[in-house]
Amino acid sequence: MKAVVMAGGEGTRLRPMTASMPKPLLPVVNKPIMEHVLKLLKRHGLTETVVTVQFLASLVKNYFGDGEDLGMELTYANEEKPLGTAGSVKNAEEALRDDSFLVISGDALTDFDLTDLIRFHKERGAMVTVCLTRVPNPLEFGITIVDDDGKVERFLEKPTWGQVFSDTVNTGIYVMEPEVFDYVEPDVPVDWSGDVFPQLMKEGKPIYGYIAEGYWEDVGTHESYVKAQADVLEGKVEAERDGFEISPGVWVDEGAEVHPDAVLRGPLYIGDYAKVEAGAEIREHSVVGSNVVVKSGAFLHRAVVHNNVYIGPQSNLRGCVIGKNTDIMRASRVDDGAVVGDECLIGEESIVQGNVRVYPFKTIEAGAFVNTSVIWESRSQAHLFGARGVSGILNVEITPELAVRLAGAYATTLKKGSTVCTARDHSRGARALKRAIISALQASAIDVRDLENVPLPVARQQTARGSAGGIMIRTTPGVPDSVDIMFMDERGAELSQAAQRKLDRVYARQEYRRAFPGEIGDLSFPSSVYDSYTGSLLRAVDTTGVTEAGLKVVVDASNGSSGLVLPSLLGRLGVDSLTINPGLDESRPTETAESRRAGLVRLGEIVASARAAFGVRFDPVGERISLVDEHGRIVEDDRALLVMLDLVAAERRSGRVALPVTTTRIAEQVAAYHGTQVEWTTTSPGDLTRVSREDGAVFGGDGRGGFVVPEFSSVFDGAAAFVRLIGLVARTQLTLSQIDARIPRAHVSRRDLATPWAVKGLVMRTVVEAAGDRSVDTTDGVRVVESDGRWVMVLPDPAEAVTHLWAEGPDETSAQALLDEWAAVVDSAGH
């Protein structure tokens, strides 16, 4: 006997899940509903099957093919237009006219005994046997009355409660004889229970009803879809599950990586190659698809998550459905009954309320509160660039595909035949992305000078030597699973705002220039970049007195690319040095705040025991440095800025110093005391670079370990800052602790407050209004200066739904009080 699987429905009640996927392909415990149906047919010997398709038919055909993978023979009958339940089977008449056949829906989950149903049909000599089952709420189904022998006496399609005369409903599963086709008109919409069955009954044809025992769920609504998952997990329905039961009710598929410190409370299912981190909690009736990443602190309960989804740390999913290829970012929440479609982005700290529908390809902004369905808006990013170039989670937000498109857009902003330098840190992710970027640049008629793994300042210097620009890929500082793609201009500095906007526009339009075959760019690998870099550095920075002073220093390369330039530099500097952690460690391309602190403590111990003049620790890409004094005490970054400023200003006695407006005003006192002048800049590194390039600039720093040495370059450079510091200490003949001791203590407090994008403008207006007649500085954000000199600064983050606050006072208590006062102002406007 053959079977007919009806797989042509649009599943409109299940939108947005069915907006981009036919209903039979919706996964139930990681297998399409229709796959469960086909496996049921196979268990009962029905291996020859015709599938009727219409809506998104190609997706169904592509998934199941000819059925060989299932051990079945599948053929397809395609409807050009909807033909109804009977019309679609009539459309497959040619394959079915020789024998009895069974009709079953491709989107109902069941484990009925089809063998017994067929036996019943044959024993009764029926033309049609309708498979019936008993349900508590029959309103959504066709009611059927049968006599003691099973003969159908009456049908009623989707009754009201006033019409309900039975709880026995039609499941849409039938066994039929080919003669039934005589009652179905071809090429017009015809339904079995509305058109054909009443006619058969009028003519007295044998229609029987078989009341089946077992499980049956018509997966027609979001509630029934979530319930079907729970029922499979609970074992209420006989359906196949892949994987292994690692503890009672906890099913984990092949290749999945579940940390022992993750909390799992079954019944639940985790798909193949999913990754569940320590501290994540997955509770009962949750289904996690293939290749899903569940980050630490995430919570899932009754959540159905389709394939290739990223679930960020501290996010909370309850009773919801998440479509494939969607990113749920940090601390966001999706509530009971909500459905998020395929390829959406749910921003950080946003809330999708219960029963909200988010249609495919949409973006919910960070911090947003969504209480109505999102249907029409398209998925797009307001701007690509953040504080560190284009940043995001590797293979979630930053993929090879995105890198190729970005590089193509960047190449399009340059002239054909231009040269671009490419570089990376020592991580595997950066290496893979760089190769994709090089291919895209060459394909856009750009010559590439690949520096491979070099410190960021070396990449900047090499870019400034005749290239039209540069691209550096590095691991985001402090975030091991994220990367930054940093674009540089012809000077090796960050792209200007105008250049960023131009790149943004080309990327958004997706109008990438492609080279003709004879124009494909060259790829070269320049040699001696380190000798060239150290030679020009030592020529530019004053190192007089270093050899005579006989200084001993300890240098920590922190297993990063700085270790590649240090041998060439220290050898020519003529200083007694001890280098620690010089080797590259691919597994640690960045460092957390805790590991950085621990590294500084170890450095301090070595400095003290070696009786060195000071210790310096490079960040993994050689851009920033941290200091330890001769006693082994850590010089905090904000103090290190003042120490360096004091040394430079005392020696120069004139010139301009570039500092961001968030720096303590003690810096102004130090600079003025030595006759130099502070030029306040925004917090953007590009702005600091611009001021450091101008005539008369003698120093720049950001208070976070970034120092600019204008006589060598206008960008942050750890090696240049280190060489300059050695020269200054050698000539001044003072220790770092002595210099630190003569600078007044600063008391600057900082706080970050979550602020939805929609109210950021209102927050800033509220701050300006609250300032009243106080002095207000708008160099970057809003800085309010009190009459007694205390100040507070409020700055909206350009890339996240956050507002940053800084406050400075004569002591810690005063600074905290001022911070509390203005945090209340920001909070009141933000809510």
Side-chain angles (χ1 to χ4, degrees):
M1 184 184 287
K2 288 183 180 177
V4 182
V5 174
M6 300 174 69
E10 290 192 33
T12 49
R13 290 180 299 164
L14 280 166
R15 285 184 178 166
M17 283 190 284
T18 52
S20 54
M21 180 192 295
K23 186 177 168 189
L25 289 188
L26 281 180
V28 172
V29 189
N30 278 27
K31 286 185 190 299
I33 305 175
M34 187 171 139
E35 189 170 330
H36 290 294
V37 171
L38 291 173
K39 287 186 171 176
L40 173 70
L41 293 173
K42 188 185 176 189
R43 285 202 297 273
H44 291 280
L46 297 156
T47 55
E48 283 188 72
T49 299
V50 181
V51 182
T52 68
V53 288
Q54 193 239 332
F55 177 69
L56 298 176
S58 61
L59 296 181
V60 177
K61 291 179 184 177
N62 289 345
Y63 187 91
F64 291 105
D66 61 6
E68 185 181 0
D69 289 349
L70 295 169
M72 301 179 74
E73 283 181 49
L74 300 187
T75 54
Y76 296 89
N78 204 7
E79 296 174 46
E80 299 300 322
K81 58 181 181 180
L83 294 173
T85 53
S88 62
V89 178
K90 172 79 172 178
N91 194 41
E93 179 180 1
E94 199 170 319
L96 303 169
R97 59 164 65 119
D98 299 333
D99 193 8
S100 313
F101 58 89
L102 180 139
V103 178
I104 190 167
S105 169
D107 50 26
L109 187 65
T110 181
D111 57 6
F112 287 161
D113 186 344
L114 302 182
T115 304
D116 198 52
L117 168 66
I118 293 165
R119 177 199 57 75
F120 177 92
H121 172 83
K122 289 182 173 173
E123 281 180 359
R124 297 298 188 280
M127 180 188 281
V128 174
T129 298
V130 181
C131 186
L132 307 172
T133 193
R134 294 195 166 98
V135 296
N137 180 358
L139 293 189
E140 287 296 314
F141 309 102
I143 289 178
T144 308
I145 291 278
V146 293
D147 64 16
D148 292 342
D149 191 39
K151 196 163 190 177
V152 172
E153 293 182 335
R154 192 173 169 197
F155 282 110
L156 182 62
E157 272 297 290
K158 297 191 178 177
T160 64
W161 273 119
Q163 297 172 308
V164 167
F165 46 73
S166 170
D167 64 350
T168 309
V169 301
N170 179 356
T171 64
I173 302 172
Y174 313 112
V175 183
M176 296 179 164
E177 297 302 319
E179 297 86 57
V180 79
F181 287 126
D182 298 340
Y183 294 85
V184 184
E185 198 178 333
D187 296 323
V188 294
V190 183
D191 277 319
W192 291 122
S193 48
D195 303 315
V196 179
F197 295 165
Q199 183 63 30
L200 293 175
M201 290 177 68
K202 194 184 291 181
E203 294 186 17
K205 300 295 182 186
I207 302 186
Y208 282 82
Y210 169 85
I211 300 174
E213 298 293 325
Y215 180 92
W216 177 79
E217 181 71 57
D218 174 54
V219 184
T221 63
H222 293 104
E223 295 72 24
S224 61
Y225 178 68
V226 174
K227 179 178 181 291
Q229 319 278 340
D231 290 343
V232 172
L233 293 172
E234 293 276 7
K236 291 181 180 176
V237 53
E238 189 183 332
E240 277 189 31
R241 276 170 290 192
D242 291 335
F244 314 94
E245 193 172 12
I246 60 169
S247 62
V250 175
W251 290 80
V252 177
D253 207 343
E254 180 186 5
E257 193 179 315
V258 181
H259 196 280
D261 293 335
V263 178
L264 305 179
R265 298 187 183 173
L268 59 85
Y269 180 87
I270 296 171
D272 59 333
Y273 301 101
K275 182 176 183 182
V276 181
E277 291 191 349
E281 182 172 352
I282 305 179
R283 299 189 61 167
E284 55 270 16
H285 302 161
S286 291
V287 175
V288 174
S290 299
N291 299 307
V292 170
V293 176
V294 183
K295 299 296 284 183
S296 179
F299 177 89
L300 285 72
H301 185 203
R302 294 180 58 249
V304 180
V305 180
H306 293 179
N307 297 346
N308 301 310
V309 170
Y310 172 85
I311 300 171
Q314 284 80 54
S315 51
N316 192 309
L317 310 181
R318 295 171 186 265
C320 57
V321 179
I322 308 295
K324 66 177 185 292
N325 301 321
T326 284
D327 299 335
I328 308 288
M329 305 311 286
R330 180 187 63 80
S332 49
R333 197 176 92 206
V334 185
D335 286 344
D336 199 37
V339 181
V340 177
D342 296 347
E343 300 196 36
C344 289
L345 173 67
I346 307 299
E348 291 193 354
E349 299 187 6
S350 56
I351 297 172
V352 179
Q353 278 211 304
N355 301 314
V356 163
R357 307 285 182 254
V358 179
Y359 274 64
F361 312 107
K362 303 294 179 289
T363 292
I364 303 300
E365 284 190 337
F369 180 84
V370 184
N371 56 10
T372 57
S373 292
V374 181
I375 300 172
W376 302 115
E377 296 84 350
S378 64
R379 172 169 182 170
S380 63
Q381 218 171 336
H383 41 74
L384 284 167
F385 286 85
R388 301 172 302 271
V390 180
S391 304
I393 300 161
L394 178 65
N395 280 338
V396 174
E397 295 166 291
I398 304 289
T399 61
E401 299 91 329
L402 175 107
V404 165
R405 291 199 300 271
L406 263 178
Y410 181 55
T412 306
T413 67
L414 305 173
K415 290 179 180 174
K416 276 189 178 183
S418 299
T419 300
V420 169
C421 280
T422 56
R424 62 171 176 88
D425 71 6
H426 55 288
S427 67
R428 290 184 177 188
R431 180 193 289 141
L433 290 176
K434 180 173 66 67
R435 288 170 177 167
I437 282 169
I438 288 172
S439 300
L441 291 172
Q442 289 181 279
S444 300
I446 298 293
D447 293 334
V448 178
R449 293 177 71 232
D450 186 22
L451 306 172
E452 300 182 275
N453 175 20
V454 294
L456 181 51
V458 174
R460 292 190 188 282
Q461 187 226 33
Q462 288 291 318
T463 298
R465 295 190 165 186
S467 295
I471 301 176
M472 170 89 182
I473 304 102
R474 66 154 181 199
T475 306
T476 304
V479 190
D481 53 2
S482 289
V483 290
D484 304 333
I485 302 178
M486 306 174 75
F487 292 88
M488 298 175 248
D489 63 16
E490 71 281 1
R491 289 184 296 251
E494 314 293 329
L495 288 187
S496 66
Q497 291 290 324
Q500 288 183 16
R501 283 195 293 272
K502 185 178 180 182
L503 177 50
D504 248 341
R505 285 195 300 273
V506 176
Y507 179 82
R509 290 198 304 264
Q510 299 194 17
E511 295 173 358
Y512 313 131
R513 181 185 68 222
R514 290 286 176 253
F516 298 113
E519 298 176 324
I520 301 293
D522 287 335
L523 175 61
S524 60
F525 300 90
S527 58
S528 310
V529 290
Y530 297 120
D531 289 341
S532 156
Y533 172 79
T534 53
S536 50
L537 173 56
L538 294 173
R539 283 192 297 275
V541 179
D542 185 1
T543 57
T544 54
V546 171
T547 311
E548 296 79 6
L551 293 177
K552 184 177 186 180
V553 293
V554 184
V555 182
D556 185 351
S558 59
N559 298 115
S561 51
S562 304
L564 300 171
V565 80
L566 287 174
S568 168
L569 181 62
L570 293 170
R572 295 161 74 173
L573 194 55
V575 66
D576 182 10
S577 63
L578 168 63
T579 304
I580 61 173
N581 299 319
L584 293 174
D585 184 352
E586 268 192 0
S587 66
R588 291 192 295 132
T590 186
E591 49 189 7
T592 61
E594 295 77 19
S595 63
R596 176 175 172 268
R597 193 83 189 170
L600 282 169
V601 169
R602 284 195 298 277
L603 175 63
E605 290 165 355
I606 295 168
V607 167
S609 63
R611 297 184 178 171
F614 62 87
V616 62
R617 186 172 202 268
F618 287 86
D619 76 353
V621 291
E623 188 179 37
R624 298 171 186 275
I625 57 171
S626 304
L627 302 179
V628 168
D629 69 16
E630 72 281 8
H631 302 300
R633 290 193 295 251
I634 297 168
V635 184
E636 301 297 345
D637 287 344
D638 53 346
R639 293 302 291 177
L641 175 65
L642 297 176
V643 167
M644 196 79 123
L645 171 61
D646 186 79
L647 281 164
V648 172
E651 186 168 276
R652 290 299 183 93
R653 297 284 171 185
S654 67
R656 286 181 306 118
V657 173
L659 299 173
V661 284
T662 50
T663 310
T664 169
R665 279 353 187 224
I666 300 285
E668 208 162 35
Q669 297 174 29
V670 171
Y673 180 78
H674 294 300
T676 54
Q677 180 190 343
V678 172
E679 179 156 347
W680 299 109
T681 76
T682 69
T683 52
S684 158
D687 203 24
L688 201 69
T689 294
R690 178 185 57 77
V691 174
S692 301
R693 247 191 334 258
E694 295 172 359
D695 290 341
V698 294
F699 176 69
D702 68 350
R704 295 184 295 114
F707 297 102
V708 179
V709 180
E711 59 265 38
F712 175 61
S713 74
S714 59
V715 296
F716 294 143
D717 187 330
F722 167 58
V723 171
R724 191 178 201 186
L725 179 62
I726 286 177
L728 289 166
V729 170
R731 291 188 294 277
T732 195
Q733 297 188 343
L734 290 172
T735 65
L736 293 194
S737 65
Q738 287 170 330
I739 298 161
D740 189 16
R742 73 186 189 188
I743 301 169
R745 309 315 290 177
H747 301 283
V748 179
S749 297
R750 178 177 172 173
R751 190 174 302 168
D752 294 342
L753 296 175
T755 310
W757 284 100
V759 298
K760 279 191 174 184
L762 171 63
V763 165
M764 299 314 289
R765 175 163 62 84
T766 306
V767 168
V768 172
E769 289 170 355
D773 54 3
R774 301 177 184 89
S775 170
V776 171
D777 172 11
T778 55
T779 304
D780 198 11
V782 174
R783 192 172 74 92
V784 181
V785 184
E786 303 281 348
S787 55
D788 58 4
R790 293 183 303 150
W791 59 269
V792 67
M793 182 169 158
V794 182
L795 177 67
D797 191 285
E800 297 178 16
V802 170
T803 300
H804 306 292
L805 284 83
W806 291 262
E808 181 171 28
D811 54 58
E812 203 64 42
T813 307
S814 170
Q816 277 297 334
L818 191 62
L819 196 62
D820 290 342
E821 178 189 335
W822 286 91
V825 172
V826 171
D827 255 345
S828 66
H831 295 91

